[in-house]
Amino acid sequence: MGYKVVVAGATGNVGREMLNILAEREFPVDEIVALASRKSLGTEVSFGDKTLKCKDLDTFDFTGWDIALFAIGSDATKIYAPKAAGAGCIVIDNSSLYRYDPDVPLIVPEVNAHAIMGYARKNIIANPNCSTAQMVVALKPLHDRATIKRVVVSTYQSVSGAGKEGMDELWNQTKAIYNPTDNVPPSKFPKQIAFNVIPHIDVFLDSGETKEEWKMVAETKKILDPKIKVTATCVRVPVFVGHSEAINIEFEEFLDWQEAQDILREAPGIMLIDKREPGGYITPIECVGEFATYVSRVRQDSTIENGLSLWCVSDNLRKGAALNAVQIAELLGSKVLKKG
């Protein structure tokens, strides 16, 4: 016996990836439905070797469905998540709407699987921000060993984090640079993204941080440990898929870089690729389509008493969004629903 699963936002980058990963990981599905807005009614999406026609999210009845994976943005989630949850369908939401709600668990299964039981308060589970998800997977086993005091992270985030429009803008601007008759001014991004980097993701706050930077701080505290101090600088780079992060960590106790490598090598969800030679590290183009969070460049930071630096890369459409949501569904199945 399997589950009745809803994927809402099935025509977007993340929604399509959710369907792909459910099929790839052979999630025990008895019945599955793809939902989208009315303008996408009838659009065909793939689920393994099957083709699904999208139904209208606005008129869909969630009664009798087990799990709904939401990839529809905060505004639509505000309307439809309570409807689904109220009908007894457990919502796993990829938007930022519920991440900071104390009654909604924010889950990365490798890090805080124990928090899953909190779903019952609202029948909703939140999926974290893409840049936070991969970082906490890398931090968790190190924190368990030596207790992290402070994290300084700089991100190099791909345009797919801004959706299809972001990917199209990079593609069209890149082509235009080689064709002087074309002009593709910025529209999705505030400045040209092709052959450039933009130190600005999401809106600016009064503190001078961007919302993306604030999210990494707040979510790391909620998922991993409220005592950890985090400061982030989030940068958009001209890469189609795959977020990279340079992470500097200060610990309570000394942790040797070789022991850190050993810990990371054995940690769930992590692939360590770390040879101190040209090409002995991972780059975003190599992580596309992969499930793992990759770690490279593990080294001592001699400028602080107990410091390490490392490089972390992951497919943001997978671990940063769709894969994590499916892993939450798997956790929900094994710990709560117990059907599959």
Side-chain angles (χ1 to χ4, degrees), residues 280-316:
Y281 42 80
I282 199 78
T283 61
I285 205 163
E286 297 153 277
C287 79
V288 176
E290 300 293 332
F291 287 139
T293 294
Y294 290 87
V295 176
S296 307
R297 302 289 322 279
V298 180
R299 60 204 188 275
Q300 226 74 46
D301 176 5
S302 59
T303 67
I304 51 176
E305 192 173 347
N306 300 316
L308 284 177
S309 293
L310 56 83
W311 175 251
C312 176
V313 179
S314 189
D315 181 330
N316 55 293

PDB file of all heavy atoms in Angstrom, residues 280-316:
ATOM      1  N   GLY A 280      41.120  18.854  -7.705  1.00  0.00           N
ATOM      2  CA  GLY A 280      40.774  17.921  -6.633  1.00  0.00           C
ATOM      3  C   GLY A 280      39.654  18.416  -5.740  1.00  0.00           C
ATOM      4  O   GLY A 280      39.658  18.164  -4.532  1.00  0.00           O
ATOM      5  N   TYR A 281      38.698  19.090  -6.299  1.00  0.00           N
ATOM      6  CA  TYR A 281      37.584  19.704  -5.581  1.00  0.00           C
ATOM      7  C   TYR A 281      36.374  19.672  -6.509  1.00  0.00           C
ATOM      8  O   TYR A 281      36.480  19.385  -7.699  1.00  0.00           O
ATOM      9  CB  TYR A 281      37.926  21.163  -5.203  1.00  0.00           C
ATOM     10  CG  TYR A 281      38.615  21.891  -6.342  1.00  0.00           C
ATOM     11  CD1 TYR A 281      37.889  22.424  -7.407  1.00  0.00           C
ATOM     12  CD2 TYR A 281      40.011  21.991  -6.390  1.00  0.00           C
ATOM     13  CE1 TYR A 281      38.516  23.037  -8.482  1.00  0.00           C
ATOM     14  CE2 TYR A 281      40.648  22.600  -7.455  1.00  0.00           C
ATOM     15  CZ  TYR A 281      39.887  23.114  -8.500  1.00  0.00           C
ATOM     16  OH  TYR A 281      40.519  23.708  -9.569  1.00  0.00           O
ATOM     17  N   ILE A 282      35.224  19.978  -5.963  1.00  0.00           N
ATOM     18  CA  ILE A 282      33.979  19.945  -6.748  1.00  0.00           C
ATOM     19  C   ILE A 282      33.598  21.358  -7.173  1.00  0.00           C
ATOM     20  O   ILE A 282      33.858  22.331  -6.466  1.00  0.00           O
ATOM     21  CB  ILE A 282      32.837  19.285  -5.943  1.00  0.00           C
ATOM     22  CG1 ILE A 282      31.700  18.805  -6.849  1.00  0.00           C
ATOM     23  CG2 ILE A 282      32.327  20.213  -4.873  1.00  0.00           C
ATOM     24  CD1 ILE A 282      31.979  17.527  -7.572  1.00  0.00           C
ATOM     25  N   THR A 283      32.976  21.474  -8.346  1.00  0.00           N
ATOM     26  CA  THR A 283      32.423  22.748  -8.822  1.00  0.00           C
ATOM     27  C   THR A 283      30.947  22.542  -9.151  1.00  0.00           C
ATOM     28  O   THR A 283      30.499  21.400  -9.318  1.00  0.00           O
ATOM     29  CB  THR A 283      33.181  23.252 -10.065  1.00  0.00           C
ATOM     30  OG1 THR A 283      33.045  22.283 -11.116  1.00  0.00           O
ATOM     31  CG2 THR A 283      34.661  23.478  -9.754  1.00  0.00           C
ATOM     32  N   PRO A 284      30.181  23.614  -9.253  1.00  0.00           N
ATOM     33  CA  PRO A 284      28.733  23.422  -9.415  1.00  0.00           C
ATOM     34  C   PRO A 284      28.334  22.630 -10.657  1.00  0.00           C
ATOM     35  O   PRO A 284      27.367  21.873 -10.623  1.00  0.00           O
ATOM     36  CB  PRO A 284      28.166  24.849  -9.440  1.00  0.00           C
ATOM     37  CG  PRO A 284      29.326  25.774  -9.507  1.00  0.00           C
ATOM     38  CD  PRO A 284      30.518  25.028  -9.026  1.00  0.00           C
ATOM     39  N   ILE A 285      29.084  22.770 -11.726  1.00  0.00           N
ATOM     40  CA  ILE A 285      28.688  22.074 -12.959  1.00  0.00           C
ATOM     41  C   ILE A 285      28.730  20.551 -12.774  1.00  0.00           C
ATOM     42  O   ILE A 285      27.999  19.816 -13.432  1.00  0.00           O
ATOM     43  CB  ILE A 285      29.574  22.534 -14.141  1.00  0.00           C
ATOM     44  CG1 ILE A 285      28.837  22.329 -15.458  1.00  0.00           C
ATOM     45  CG2 ILE A 285      30.936  21.850 -14.135  1.00  0.00           C
ATOM     46  CD1 ILE A 285      29.433  23.105 -16.612  1.00  0.00           C
ATOM     47  N   GLU A 286      29.561  20.082 -11.834  1.00  0.00           N
ATOM     48  CA  GLU A 286      29.678  18.636 -11.605  1.00  0.00           C
ATOM     49  C   GLU A 286      28.609  18.096 -10.652  1.00  0.00           C
ATOM     50  O   GLU A 286      28.431  16.880 -10.547  1.00  0.00           O
ATOM     51  CB  GLU A 286      31.057  18.316 -11.027  1.00  0.00           C
ATOM     52  CG  GLU A 286      32.198  18.664 -11.962  1.00  0.00           C
ATOM     53  CD  GLU A 286      33.466  18.971 -11.190  1.00  0.00           C
ATOM     54  OE1 GLU A 286      33.634  20.105 -10.731  1.00  0.00           O
ATOM     55  OE2 GLU A 286      34.267  18.039 -11.038  1.00  0.00           O
ATOM     56  N   CYS A 287      27.922  18.970  -9.950  1.00  0.00           N
ATOM     57  CA  CYS A 287      26.944  18.489  -8.970  1.00  0.00           C
ATOM     58  C   CYS A 287      25.527  18.442  -9.535  1.00  0.00           C
ATOM     59  O   CYS A 287      24.626  17.932  -8.883  1.00  0.00           O
ATOM     60  CB  CYS A 287      26.972  19.364  -7.713  1.00  0.00           C
ATOM     61  SG  CYS A 287      26.086  20.925  -7.877  1.00  0.00           S
ATOM     62  N   VAL A 288      25.332  18.944 -10.745  1.00  0.00           N
ATOM     63  CA  VAL A 288      23.984  19.018 -11.315  1.00  0.00           C
ATOM     64  C   VAL A 288      23.406  17.613 -11.496  1.00  0.00           C
ATOM     65  O   VAL A 288      24.055  16.719 -12.040  1.00  0.00           O
ATOM     66  CB  VAL A 288      23.995  19.774 -12.661  1.00  0.00           C
ATOM     67  CG1 VAL A 288      22.612  19.757 -13.299  1.00  0.00           C
ATOM     68  CG2 VAL A 288      24.468  21.206 -12.461  1.00  0.00           C
ATOM     69  N   GLY A 289      22.189  17.435 -10.995  1.00  0.00           N
ATOM     70  CA  GLY A 289      21.520  16.145 -11.109  1.00  0.00           C
ATOM     71  C   GLY A 289      21.889  15.152 -10.027  1.00  0.00           C
ATOM     72  O   GLY A 289      21.386  14.031 -10.007  1.00  0.00           O
ATOM     73  N   GLU A 290      22.754  15.565  -9.091  1.00  0.00           N
ATOM     74  CA  GLU A 290      23.204  14.658  -8.029  1.00  0.00           C
ATOM     75  C   GLU A 290      22.443  14.937  -6.726  1.00  0.00           C
ATOM     76  O   GLU A 290      21.995  16.042  -6.470  1.00  0.00           O
ATOM     77  CB  GLU A 290      24.707  14.823  -7.795  1.00  0.00           C
ATOM     78  CG  GLU A 290      25.569  14.515  -9.019  1.00  0.00           C
ATOM     79  CD  GLU A 290      25.520  13.050  -9.418  1.00  0.00           C
ATOM     80  OE1 GLU A 290      25.293  12.195  -8.526  1.00  0.00           O
ATOM     81  OE2 GLU A 290      25.699  12.753 -10.608  1.00  0.00           O
ATOM     82  N   PHE A 291      22.328  13.905  -5.898  1.00  0.00           N
ATOM     83  CA  PHE A 291      21.624  14.036  -4.621  1.00  0.00           C
ATOM     84  C   PHE A 291      22.504  14.596  -3.508  1.00  0.00           C
ATOM     85  O   PHE A 291      22.022  15.195  -2.564  1.00  0.00           O
ATOM     86  CB  PHE A 291      21.106  12.660  -4.168  1.00  0.00           C
ATOM     87  CG  PHE A 291      19.935  12.156  -4.967  1.00  0.00           C
ATOM     88  CD1 PHE A 291      19.861  10.825  -5.325  1.00  0.00           C
ATOM     89  CD2 PHE A 291      18.903  12.995  -5.349  1.00  0.00           C
ATOM     90  CE1 PHE A 291      18.777  10.333  -6.048  1.00  0.00           C
ATOM     91  CE2 PHE A 291      17.822  12.530  -6.073  1.00  0.00           C
ATOM     92  CZ  PHE A 291      17.754  11.193  -6.424  1.00  0.00           C
ATOM     93  N   ALA A 292      23.813  14.383  -3.592  1.00  0.00           N
ATOM     94  CA  ALA A 292      24.704  14.676  -2.467  1.00  0.00           C
ATOM     95  C   ALA A 292      24.939  16.173  -2.276  1.00  0.00           C
ATOM     96  O   ALA A 292      24.793  16.978  -3.197  1.00  0.00           O
ATOM     97  CB  ALA A 292      26.048  13.979  -2.668  1.00  0.00           C
ATOM     98  N   THR A 293      25.354  16.515  -1.060  1.00  0.00           N
ATOM     99  CA  THR A 293      25.974  17.798  -0.764  1.00  0.00           C
ATOM    100  C   THR A 293      27.480  17.538  -0.766  1.00  0.00           C
ATOM    101  O   THR A 293      27.957  16.674  -0.021  1.00  0.00           O
ATOM    102  CB  THR A 293      25.524  18.322   0.607  1.00  0.00           C
ATOM    103  OG1 THR A 293      24.122  18.602   0.553  1.00  0.00           O
ATOM    104  CG2 THR A 293      26.278  19.589   0.994  1.00  0.00           C
ATOM    105  N   TYR A 294      28.206  18.238  -1.626  1.00  0.00           N
ATOM    106  CA  TYR A 294      29.639  17.985  -1.800  1.00  0.00           C
ATOM    107  C   TYR A 294      30.461  18.944  -0.951  1.00  0.00           C
ATOM    108  O   TYR A 294      30.133  20.133  -0.856  1.00  0.00           O
ATOM    109  CB  TYR A 294      30.027  18.167  -3.274  1.00  0.00           C
ATOM    110  CG  TYR A 294      29.473  17.092  -4.167  1.00  0.00           C
ATOM    111  CD1 TYR A 294      28.202  17.207  -4.723  1.00  0.00           C
ATOM    112  CD2 TYR A 294      30.205  15.946  -4.453  1.00  0.00           C
ATOM    113  CE1 TYR A 294      27.677  16.218  -5.535  1.00  0.00           C
ATOM    114  CE2 TYR A 294      29.694  14.949  -5.270  1.00  0.00           C
ATOM    115  CZ  TYR A 294      28.432  15.089  -5.805  1.00  0.00           C
ATOM    116  OH  TYR A 294      27.915  14.111  -6.609  1.00  0.00           O
ATOM    117  N   VAL A 295      31.536  18.418  -0.356  1.00  0.00           N
ATOM    118  CA  VAL A 295      32.444  19.249   0.438  1.00  0.00           C
ATOM    119  C   VAL A 295      33.867  19.066  -0.073  1.00  0.00           C
ATOM    120  O   VAL A 295      34.307  17.940  -0.341  1.00  0.00           O
ATOM    121  CB  VAL A 295      32.360  18.906   1.937  1.00  0.00           C
ATOM    122  CG1 VAL A 295      33.384  19.709   2.736  1.00  0.00           C
ATOM    123  CG2 VAL A 295      30.951  19.174   2.475  1.00  0.00           C
ATOM    124  N   SER A 296      34.573  20.183  -0.215  1.00  0.00           N
ATOM    125  CA  SER A 296      35.973  20.198  -0.650  1.00  0.00           C
ATOM    126  C   SER A 296      36.731  21.258   0.156  1.00  0.00           C
ATOM    127  O   SER A 296      36.134  21.982   0.959  1.00  0.00           O
ATOM    128  CB  SER A 296      36.073  20.550  -2.140  1.00  0.00           C
ATOM    129  OG  SER A 296      35.276  19.724  -2.945  1.00  0.00           O
ATOM    130  N   ARG A 297      38.049  21.344  -0.085  1.00  0.00           N
ATOM    131  CA  ARG A 297      38.907  22.409   0.452  1.00  0.00           C
ATOM    132  C   ARG A 297      38.839  22.530   1.979  1.00  0.00           C
ATOM    133  O   ARG A 297      38.858  23.634   2.538  1.00  0.00           O
ATOM    134  CB  ARG A 297      38.553  23.769  -0.178  1.00  0.00           C
ATOM    135  CG  ARG A 297      38.628  23.906  -1.699  1.00  0.00           C
ATOM    136  CD  ARG A 297      40.030  23.891  -2.248  1.00  0.00           C
ATOM    137  NE  ARG A 297      41.015  24.578  -1.441  1.00  0.00           N
ATOM    138  CZ  ARG A 297      41.206  25.906  -1.446  1.00  0.00           C
ATOM    139  NH1 ARG A 297      40.482  26.677  -2.236  1.00  0.00           N
ATOM    140  NH2 ARG A 297      42.136  26.446  -0.701  1.00  0.00           N
ATOM    141  N   VAL A 298      38.761  21.406   2.688  1.00  0.00           N
ATOM    142  CA  VAL A 298      38.745  21.438   4.154  1.00  0.00           C
ATOM    143  C   VAL A 298      40.159  21.774   4.643  1.00  0.00           C
ATOM    144  O   VAL A 298      41.122  21.099   4.279  1.00  0.00           O
ATOM    145  CB  VAL A 298      38.301  20.077   4.735  1.00  0.00           C
ATOM    146  CG1 VAL A 298      38.297  20.128   6.265  1.00  0.00           C
ATOM    147  CG2 VAL A 298      36.921  19.683   4.201  1.00  0.00           C
ATOM    148  N   ARG A 299      40.263  22.815   5.450  1.00  0.00           N
ATOM    149  CA  ARG A 299      41.595  23.260   5.886  1.00  0.00           C
ATOM    150  C   ARG A 299      41.490  24.035   7.196  1.00  0.00           C
ATOM    151  O   ARG A 299      40.436  24.592   7.515  1.00  0.00           O
ATOM    152  CB  ARG A 299      42.253  24.127   4.811  1.00  0.00           C
ATOM    153  CG  ARG A 299      41.469  25.384   4.474  1.00  0.00           C
ATOM    154  CD  ARG A 299      41.800  25.885   3.067  1.00  0.00           C
ATOM    155  NE  ARG A 299      41.208  27.188   2.792  1.00  0.00           N
ATOM    156  CZ  ARG A 299      39.968  27.351   2.354  1.00  0.00           C
ATOM    157  NH1 ARG A 299      39.151  26.318   2.178  1.00  0.00           N
ATOM    158  NH2 ARG A 299      39.512  28.565   2.101  1.00  0.00           N
ATOM    159  N   GLN A 300      42.592  24.054   7.916  1.00  0.00           N
ATOM    160  CA  GLN A 300      42.650  24.782   9.183  1.00  0.00           C
ATOM    161  C   GLN A 300      42.640  26.284   8.914  1.00  0.00           C
ATOM    162  O   GLN A 300      43.204  26.752   7.927  1.00  0.00           O
ATOM    163  CB  GLN A 300      43.931  24.418   9.926  1.00  0.00           C
ATOM    164  CG  GLN A 300      43.735  24.101  11.395  1.00  0.00           C
ATOM    165  CD  GLN A 300      43.086  22.736  11.612  1.00  0.00           C
ATOM    166  OE1 GLN A 300      43.475  21.764  11.004  1.00  0.00           O
ATOM    167  NE2 GLN A 300      42.097  22.688  12.492  1.00  0.00           N
ATOM    168  N   ASP A 301      41.974  27.037   9.787  1.00  0.00           N
ATOM    169  CA  ASP A 301      42.063  28.502   9.775  1.00  0.00           C
ATOM    170  C   ASP A 301      42.919  28.909  10.970  1.00  0.00           C
ATOM    171  O   ASP A 301      42.473  28.855  12.120  1.00  0.00           O
ATOM    172  CB  ASP A 301      40.670  29.135   9.856  1.00  0.00           C
ATOM    173  CG  ASP A 301      40.720  30.655   9.951  1.00  0.00           C
ATOM    174  OD1 ASP A 301      41.833  31.226   9.854  1.00  0.00           O
ATOM    175  OD2 ASP A 301      39.656  31.270  10.131  1.00  0.00           O
ATOM    176  N   SER A 302      44.140  29.315  10.714  1.00  0.00           N
ATOM    177  CA  SER A 302      45.075  29.628  11.797  1.00  0.00           C
ATOM    178  C   SER A 302      44.865  31.018  12.389  1.00  0.00           C
ATOM    179  O   SER A 302      45.526  31.395  13.355  1.00  0.00           O
ATOM    180  CB  SER A 302      46.514  29.526  11.281  1.00  0.00           C
ATOM    181  OG  SER A 302      46.709  30.428  10.211  1.00  0.00           O
ATOM    182  N   THR A 303      43.911  31.792  11.846  1.00  0.00           N
ATOM    183  CA  THR A 303      43.687  33.150  12.360  1.00  0.00           C
ATOM    184  C   THR A 303      42.788  33.167  13.596  1.00  0.00           C
ATOM    185  O   THR A 303      42.657  34.197  14.251  1.00  0.00           O
ATOM    186  CB  THR A 303      43.059  34.064  11.285  1.00  0.00           C
ATOM    187  OG1 THR A 303      41.724  33.609  10.998  1.00  0.00           O
ATOM    188  CG2 THR A 303      43.893  34.061  10.007  1.00  0.00           C
ATOM    189  N   ILE A 304      42.160  32.036  13.904  1.00  0.00           N
ATOM    190  CA  ILE A 304      41.351  31.922  15.118  1.00  0.00           C
ATOM    191  C   ILE A 304      41.762  30.646  15.843  1.00  0.00           C
ATOM    192  O   ILE A 304      42.382  29.754  15.262  1.00  0.00           O
ATOM    193  CB  ILE A 304      39.830  31.933  14.832  1.00  0.00           C
ATOM    194  CG1 ILE A 304      39.453  30.906  13.748  1.00  0.00           C
ATOM    195  CG2 ILE A 304      39.350  33.315  14.474  1.00  0.00           C
ATOM    196  CD1 ILE A 304      37.976  30.808  13.485  1.00  0.00           C
ATOM    197  N   GLU A 305      41.372  30.528  17.105  1.00  0.00           N
ATOM    198  CA  GLU A 305      41.883  29.426  17.929  1.00  0.00           C
ATOM    199  C   GLU A 305      41.423  28.059  17.429  1.00  0.00           C
ATOM    200  O   GLU A 305      42.213  27.132  17.317  1.00  0.00           O
ATOM    201  CB  GLU A 305      41.455  29.641  19.388  1.00  0.00           C
ATOM    202  CG  GLU A 305      42.184  28.717  20.342  1.00  0.00           C
ATOM    203  CD  GLU A 305      41.890  29.055  21.798  1.00  0.00           C
ATOM    204  OE1 GLU A 305      41.320  30.138  22.064  1.00  0.00           O
ATOM    205  OE2 GLU A 305      42.226  28.224  22.659  1.00  0.00           O
ATOM    206  N   ASN A 306      40.142  27.930  17.148  1.00  0.00           N
ATOM    207  CA  ASN A 306      39.595  26.636  16.717  1.00  0.00           C
ATOM    208  C   ASN A 306      38.811  26.837  15.420  1.00  0.00           C
ATOM    209  O   ASN A 306      37.580  26.864  15.429  1.00  0.00           O
ATOM    210  CB  ASN A 306      38.679  26.051  17.792  1.00  0.00           C
ATOM    211  CG  ASN A 306      39.406  25.829  19.108  1.00  0.00           C
ATOM    212  OD1 ASN A 306      40.516  25.333  19.122  1.00  0.00           O
ATOM    213  ND2 ASN A 306      38.765  26.205  20.207  1.00  0.00           N
ATOM    214  N   GLY A 307      39.520  26.976  14.317  1.00  0.00           N
ATOM    215  CA  GLY A 307      38.862  27.339  13.069  1.00  0.00           C
ATOM    216  C   GLY A 307      39.118  26.377  11.932  1.00  0.00           C
ATOM    217  O   GLY A 307      40.185  25.788  11.808  1.00  0.00           O
ATOM    218  N   LEU A 308      38.096  26.213  11.086  1.00  0.00           N
ATOM    219  CA  LEU A 308      38.202  25.471   9.837  1.00  0.00           C
ATOM    220  C   LEU A 308      37.530  26.266   8.732  1.00  0.00           C
ATOM    221  O   LEU A 308      36.572  27.012   8.972  1.00  0.00           O
ATOM    222  CB  LEU A 308      37.490  24.117   9.931  1.00  0.00           C
ATOM    223  CG  LEU A 308      38.126  22.957  10.692  1.00  0.00           C
ATOM    224  CD1 LEU A 308      37.161  21.772  10.685  1.00  0.00           C
ATOM    225  CD2 LEU A 308      39.454  22.549  10.069  1.00  0.00           C
ATOM    226  N   SER A 309      37.998  26.084   7.506  1.00  0.00           N
ATOM    227  CA  SER A 309      37.317  26.615   6.328  1.00  0.00           C
ATOM    228  C   SER A 309      37.020  25.455   5.386  1.00  0.00           C
ATOM    229  O   SER A 309      37.773  24.468   5.337  1.00  0.00           O
ATOM    230  CB  SER A 309      38.185  27.652   5.613  1.00  0.00           C
ATOM    231  OG  SER A 309      38.353  28.801   6.415  1.00  0.00           O
ATOM    232  N   LEU A 310      35.918  25.572   4.651  1.00  0.00           N
ATOM    233  CA  LEU A 310      35.599  24.540   3.665  1.00  0.00           C
ATOM    234  C   LEU A 310      34.754  25.121   2.544  1.00  0.00           C
ATOM    235  O   LEU A 310      34.231  26.233   2.633  1.00  0.00           O
ATOM    236  CB  LEU A 310      34.916  23.341   4.326  1.00  0.00           C
ATOM    237  CG  LEU A 310      33.635  23.555   5.144  1.00  0.00           C
ATOM    238  CD1 LEU A 310      32.403  23.599   4.255  1.00  0.00           C
ATOM    239  CD2 LEU A 310      33.480  22.443   6.180  1.00  0.00           C
ATOM    240  N   TRP A 311      34.642  24.344   1.474  1.00  0.00           N
ATOM    241  CA  TRP A 311      33.875  24.694   0.269  1.00  0.00           C
ATOM    242  C   TRP A 311      32.751  23.681   0.145  1.00  0.00           C
ATOM    243  O   TRP A 311      32.972  22.477   0.276  1.00  0.00           O
ATOM    244  CB  TRP A 311      34.822  24.632  -0.921  1.00  0.00           C
ATOM    245  CG  TRP A 311      34.258  24.847  -2.287  1.00  0.00           C
ATOM    246  CD1 TRP A 311      34.104  23.910  -3.268  1.00  0.00           C
ATOM    247  CD2 TRP A 311      33.842  26.090  -2.867  1.00  0.00           C
ATOM    248  NE1 TRP A 311      33.606  24.488  -4.409  1.00  0.00           N
ATOM    249  CE2 TRP A 311      33.432  25.827  -4.189  1.00  0.00           C
ATOM    250  CE3 TRP A 311      33.767  27.391  -2.372  1.00  0.00           C
ATOM    251  CZ2 TRP A 311      32.957  26.830  -5.047  1.00  0.00           C
ATOM    252  CZ3 TRP A 311      33.293  28.387  -3.222  1.00  0.00           C
ATOM    253  CH2 TRP A 311      32.893  28.107  -4.541  1.00  0.00           C
ATOM    254  N   CYS A 312      31.540  24.163  -0.099  1.00  0.00           N
ATOM    255  CA  CYS A 312      30.357  23.305  -0.106  1.00  0.00           C
ATOM    256  C   CYS A 312      29.530  23.595  -1.360  1.00  0.00           C
ATOM    257  O   CYS A 312      29.230  24.760  -1.655  1.00  0.00           O
ATOM    258  CB  CYS A 312      29.541  23.587   1.157  1.00  0.00           C
ATOM    259  SG  CYS A 312      27.990  22.698   1.277  1.00  0.00           S
ATOM    260  N   VAL A 313      29.170  22.550  -2.096  1.00  0.00           N
ATOM    261  CA  VAL A 313      28.450  22.704  -3.370  1.00  0.00           C
ATOM    262  C   VAL A 313      27.296  21.704  -3.433  1.00  0.00           C
ATOM    263  O   VAL A 313      27.436  20.551  -3.015  1.00  0.00           O
ATOM    264  CB  VAL A 313      29.396  22.459  -4.571  1.00  0.00           C
ATOM    265  CG1 VAL A 313      28.646  22.605  -5.898  1.00  0.00           C
ATOM    266  CG2 VAL A 313      30.566  23.429  -4.542  1.00  0.00           C
ATOM    267  N   SER A 314      26.158  22.154  -3.963  1.00  0.00           N
ATOM    268  CA  SER A 314      25.022  21.242  -4.118  1.00  0.00           C
ATOM    269  C   SER A 314      24.111  21.727  -5.243  1.00  0.00           C
ATOM    270  O   SER A 314      24.084  22.916  -5.568  1.00  0.00           O
ATOM    271  CB  SER A 314      24.240  21.165  -2.800  1.00  0.00           C
ATOM    272  OG  SER A 314      23.271  20.153  -2.841  1.00  0.00           O
ATOM    273  N   ASP A 315      23.384  20.794  -5.841  1.00  0.00           N
ATOM    274  CA  ASP A 315      22.352  21.137  -6.829  1.00  0.00           C
ATOM    275  C   ASP A 315      21.189  21.760  -6.070  1.00  0.00           C
ATOM    276  O   ASP A 315      20.476  21.075  -5.340  1.00  0.00           O
ATOM    277  CB  ASP A 315      21.920  19.866  -7.566  1.00  0.00           C
ATOM    278  CG  ASP A 315      20.861  20.122  -8.643  1.00  0.00           C
ATOM    279  OD1 ASP A 315      20.054  21.067  -8.484  1.00  0.00           O
ATOM    280  OD2 ASP A 315      20.822  19.362  -9.634  1.00  0.00           O
ATOM    281  N   ASN A 316      20.996  23.059  -6.243  1.00  0.00           N
ATOM    282  CA  ASN A 316      19.994  23.780  -5.452  1.00  0.00           C
ATOM    283  C   ASN A 316      18.554  23.385  -5.785  1.00  0.00           C
ATOM    284  O   ASN A 316      17.655  23.565  -4.973  1.00  0.00           O
ATOM    285  CB  ASN A 316      20.153  25.291  -5.629  1.00  0.00           C
ATOM    286  CG  ASN A 316      20.104  25.727  -7.077  1.00  0.00           C
ATOM    287  OD1 ASN A 316      21.005  25.399  -7.861  1.00  0.00           O
ATOM    288  ND2 ASN A 316      19.080  26.462  -7.465  1.00  0.00           N
TER     289      ASN A 316
END
